Amino acid sequence: MQRAMRLLEAASAHQEGAPAKQLAREAGLALPTAYHLLRTLTHEGYLCREKGVFVLGEAAERLSASGAQQNRRGMIGEALEHWRDSIGVPVYFAVYREGEIEVVAVADTPGNPAVEEWADFRETGHAHAIGQCLLAQLDDEQRQDHLSRYPVQSITRYSVRDDRSFMRRLDGMGRMKPVVERQEYALGTVCAAIPITAGNTAATMAISVPAYQADRLLPAAERLQNELGRLLGTLAFSISI
């Protein structure tokens, strides 16, 4: 396994490919051993042989993409944990992908627990700040498509009552303003979500606090938005996960 990995590492250093002898030399392997491993790696799709040289195959590219995805998720998780600790509230990261609301990561503590998903977040986007913020970033056709699959329904006595009222609310939201929801999804909890725009992907960072601490919500959301802006600018924060 170690010798095969050394061959893959050697091959990855040559975008245009390299012959077996060169890869064997760079991996520190005897040529017969290298030939045997190269055949196996090619058969499994980790390498391709093209015009006498070896290049990375689709299987290796999938591994690379998976590793990059894990790195991005790790960076997101660390950022959420930092904000959770510095602001003292649960922090959520979510995206709208392939017609669905997806909560990617949550950071909370026993003393500041996240909102319990007692009703499926995907089906109740009209009732929580995360869903409202994501749907507000979509065009009318995408919104209508979403509501045709997940129509508005009363979740609590504070929830919006029908599709028409909900669409009017979305139209009235400021483009980059925090979206605030007060006990529409969970009684006793108020939430705020901040829109994140990167290309065609709709994403959001959100926070929640108990309703009796509602005066903390907007200051905490504004602080998160300011810090998020610095992270996006300095670390090229990726939401393509």
Side-chain angles (χ1 to χ4, degrees), residues 142-161:
Q142 291 171 312
R143 293 176 187 173
Q144 293 288 358
D145 173 72
H146 185 91
L147 293 178
S148 70
R149 291 178 288 116
Y150 304 118
V152 170
Q153 54 181 313
S154 295
I155 304 300
T156 74
R157 62 180 180 272
Y158 300 101
S159 304
V160 67
R161 298 302 183 192

Side-chain angles (χ1 to χ4, degrees), residues 181-233:
E181 167 263 303
R182 301 180 187 278
Q183 304 189 78
E184 296 178 47
Y185 176 80
L187 292 175
T189 303
V190 295
C191 305
I194 299 163
I196 302 172
T197 301
N200 295 323
T201 303
T204 182
M205 286 283 187
I207 61 173
S208 62
V209 298
Y212 67 86
Q213 297 179 2
D215 58 331
R216 296 180 56 208
L217 186 66
L218 284 179
E222 290 170 358
R223 179 176 172 184
L224 176 60
Q225 190 168 29
N226 290 336
E227 293 197 16
L228 177 61
R230 287 195 292 272
L231 182 68
L232 284 166

Side-chain angles (χ1 to χ4, degrees), residues 18-125:
K21 289 182 179 180
Q22 183 178 357
L23 294 177
R25 183 172 63 253
E26 293 178 0
L29 299 176
L31 190 57
T33 300
Y35 274 129
H36 171 71
L37 291 172
L38 288 170
R39 283 195 296 269
T40 300
L41 290 169
T42 300
H43 176 73
E44 297 296 332
Y46 291 100
L47 291 175
C48 291
R49 188 172 186 181
E50 301 175 353
K51 299 180 181 179
V53 298
F54 292 89
V55 296
L56 292 181
E58 291 184 1
E61 291 174 355
R62 287 196 297 271
L63 282 177
S64 176
S66 177
Q69 182 182 70
Q70 290 300 318
N71 287 338
R72 288 194 294 268
R73 286 184 180 272
M75 186 176 72
I76 291 169
E78 290 175 2
L80 265 61
E81 290 169 2
H82 165 73
W83 289 321
R84 174 201 65 195
D85 295 339
S86 64
I87 302 176
V89 296
V91 186
Y92 313 74
F93 174 65
V95 297
Y96 193 83
R97 178 162 42 209
E98 297 180 356
E100 300 291 347
I101 294 168
E102 179 182 345
V103 178
V104 176
V106 180
D108 64 350
T109 65
N112 289 298
V115 176
E116 181 181 355
E117 187 179 354
W118 70 273
D120 194 323
F121 275 142
R122 294 170 301 176
E123 299 178 7
T124 57

